Amino acid sequence: NLTKIELNENINEIPEECFSECSNLKEIKLPQSVTKLGKSCFSDCYNLIKIEGIEQIKEYGEDCFLYSPFQKP
């Protein structure tokens, strides 16, 4: 039933399929240190509508937002 996530500064990428199938996830706050989203990391997150910090992402993995309402900018 995870709906919101705030990550700390100790990471620089979201790993492959990390939050895949977190269907209740609505929003996530990425630290400035994150610059890469792994393959399918937010796939099947049917309710994901807000990602704070998306502007610093330089590399998007394949299908990272597959079946999610959020789309990469």
Side-chain angles (χ1 to χ4, degrees):
N1 291 337
L2 188 62
T3 60
K4 184 177 180 180
I5 298 170
E6 184 172 343
L7 301 172
N8 66 33
E9 288 286 335
N10 296 344
I11 59 170
N12 33 354
E13 77 175 84
I14 305 296
E16 186 174 310
E17 299 183 5
C18 184
F19 297 106
S20 179
E21 299 184 16
C22 287
S23 58
N24 292 321
L25 184 62
K26 293 181 180 180
E27 59 184 275
I28 186 165
K29 182 176 181 182
L30 300 174
Q32 288 187 330
S33 58
V34 173
T35 58
K36 179 181 177 183
L37 299 180
K39 178 181 176 183
S40 302
C41 63
F42 294 111
S43 67
D44 299 310
C45 291
Y46 305 116
N47 293 299
L48 183 62
I49 55 171
K50 181 179 178 184
I51 299 181
E52 194 174 322
I54 194 75
E55 61 277 348
Q56 78 257 3
I57 302 300
K58 294 177 175 50
E59 187 177 342
Y60 292 88
E62 182 182 350
D63 297 328
C64 63
F65 298 112
L66 185 66
Y67 305 121
S68 298
F70 188 90
Q71 297 299 310
K72 72 179 180 182

